[in-house]
Amino acid sequence: MTDAAFFSKIETLSLKAIAELIGAELPDDADGAMQISDVAPIDTAAKGHVTFLDNPKYVGQLEKTTASAVICAKRYHERVPDGVVVLESKNPYRAFSEVSAAFYPEAAVPMAYFETDGGISQAAYIHPSAKVEPGVCIEPGVSVGANAEIGAGTTIGAGAVVGQGVRVGRNCHIGANCVLQHTLIGDSVILHPGVCSGQDGFGFSMSATGHQKVPQIGRVIIQDRVEIGANSTIDRGANRDTIIGEGTKIDNQVQIGHNVEVGRHCVLVSQVGLSGSSKLEDFVAIGGQTGVAGHITIGMGAQIAAVSVVKDDVPAGGRYGGVPAKPVKQWFREMTALSRLAEKNK
């Protein structure tokens, strides 16, 4: 059996072209015409490959690499073997991603699930009142509801449901089996398979006689260039909108409650849970499996460590972690004190 190749690749890039792409200076003794055939991880890279080093944990592998070129910070220059061209970068990981995108331009955006000419499958159902712009790809098993709108250049993956009145912008990718209700989506948004947006928020008036369901009359608004990972869920607002800000990146299996406001360019890692009416300002980053209580604010640029519980407001720029979350320096001191106490008692 031949090896499966899911992405087409350009044949080669010259070393000079790669250096120009990432804004690196080519060393004086380097051959700018040298042809690079592929990107590769540092432990398997060979002649003809370009690789990178970002994490100092892998410096030992850098010292043994047989790649033709390596992208790394200036401080690692002396650890690179003779004959390997160094392309210096202050952000090697980002630079390597740019080179990878140049070799594999299809891989930056999810592919269609079926071979298609970009048209509408006969196995899809589109309500007569829905508005679908030219150049939309709608795959088999898709259902598009009444008065829904889908912008040009968008792909709706197999089995997805675009509910009535939902609006999807241009150049979006809606993955297989996504379900969209009460949702407005901007341009260049990527939803990976299984994303559910706009379902009821978890709202009940609880009492000794039973729990009365509170109508959830808000929407979900997903702004431009947001990417949401597989099987994540976003509840619509109760009496206002749930908002996901421009450029935010959300990992798989994240739960966002009703009335939540997520700012621009935030990062939420897998299994984060945001309780209702919590607010994240711009550029907040939250590590995996962290829970955020309702009705609190996490300030601009704050960072929350993985497996934490945030129950109080976090100031802008704060670095917090733990259960409950607290400033990381305090958290580390407490963990050190506990460790010493346990060792002493042992």
Side-chain angles (χ1 to χ4, degrees):
M1 178 182 290
T2 59
D3 290 337
F6 293 104
F7 301 101
S8 59
K9 182 182 76 69
I10 65 170
E11 287 192 13
T12 61
L13 284 172
S14 71
L15 194 58
K16 180 180 178 181
I18 291 173
E20 291 175 347
L21 177 65
I22 64 175
E25 289 190 18
L26 205 59
D28 293 337
D29 58 348
D31 178 9
M34 178 193 299
Q35 296 299 303
I36 302 297
S37 60
D38 208 347
V39 294
I42 196 165
D43 59 331
T44 62
K47 186 175 181 181
H49 294 161
V50 58
T51 189
F52 80 107
L53 176 77
D54 189 52
N55 190 330
K57 177 180 178 180
Y58 302 109
V59 168
Q61 295 179 4
L62 172 68
E63 294 173 336
K64 301 175 183 178
T65 187
T66 58
S68 291
V70 60
I71 303 169
C72 65
K74 184 177 181 179
R75 64 181 178 275
Y76 298 120
H77 195 150
E78 295 181 357
R79 312 290 288 272
V80 178
D82 292 340
V84 179
V85 177
V86 176
L87 301 175
E88 291 182 3
S89 172
K90 293 181 179 179
N91 191 337
Y93 187 45
R94 186 183 185 96
F96 185 75
S97 72
E98 292 172 344
V99 177
S100 296
F103 272 106
Y104 296 92
E106 294 177 349
V109 178
M111 297 173 63
Y113 299 94
F114 291 82
E115 186 176 354
T116 176
D117 59 2
I120 298 173
S121 169
Q122 293 182 351
Y125 172 77
I126 302 174
H127 193 278
S129 64
K131 298 178 181 177
V132 179
E133 291 187 342
V136 171
C137 172
I138 298 181
E139 295 193 329
V142 170
S143 296
V144 179
N147 300 309
E149 299 180 11
I150 302 174
T154 287
T155 294
I156 310 294
V161 176
V162 179
Q164 56 181 318
V166 168
R167 299 175 190 172
V168 180
R170 293 172 177 158
N171 301 312
C172 296
H173 180 94
I174 308 302
N177 298 321
C178 288
V179 178
L180 308 179
Q181 304 167 274
H182 316 288
T183 298
L184 307 178
I185 296 177
D187 296 336
S188 302
V189 169
I190 297 174
L191 304 185
H192 290 277
V195 168
C196 293
S197 174
Q199 63 277 350
D200 284 13
F202 191 70
F204 297 88
S205 174
M206 291 180 272
S207 72
T209 59
H211 309 314
Q212 175 66 43
K213 188 175 182 65
V214 178
Q216 307 288 293
I217 59 175
R219 307 170 296 181
V220 174
I221 297 177
I222 300 174
Q223 297 180 356
D224 296 348
R225 294 181 296 282
V226 167
E227 183 164 350
I228 301 177
N231 294 323
S232 290
T233 52
I234 306 170
D235 296 344
R236 69 176 182 266
N239 51 15
R240 63 186 68 191
D241 293 331
T242 300
I243 300 172
I244 311 299
E246 173 188 3
T248 283
K249 311 302 180 187
I250 297 174
D251 199 357
N252 303 329
Q253 299 178 335
V254 169
Q255 157 64 11
I256 297 176
H258 61 196
N259 298 352
V260 167
E261 296 181 31
V262 178
R264 299 176 305 127
H265 306 293
C266 294
V267 174
L268 308 180
V269 182
S270 180
Q271 298 180 11
V272 162
L274 304 182
S275 298
S277 298
S278 56
K279 180 178 180 180
L280 277 57
E281 296 182 348
D282 298 345
F283 292 97
V284 168
I286 302 181
Q289 296 187 325
T290 288
V292 176
H295 304 277
I296 67 168
T297 297
I298 300 180
M300 180 183 292
Q303 299 178 10
I304 311 297
V307 200
S308 298
V309 175
V310 184
K311 69 178 187 65
D312 299 304
D313 291 348
V314 175
R319 299 181 66 236
Y320 278 53
V323 181
K326 58 198 71 177
V328 290
K329 290 184 179 180
Q330 178 185 345
W331 179 36
F332 290 162
R333 286 197 300 269
E334 291 178 0
M335 292 300 100
T336 300
L338 284 172
S339 178
R340 289 174 177 168
L341 180 62
E343 186 66 25
K344 179 180 179 181
N345 290 337
K346 186 177 76 172

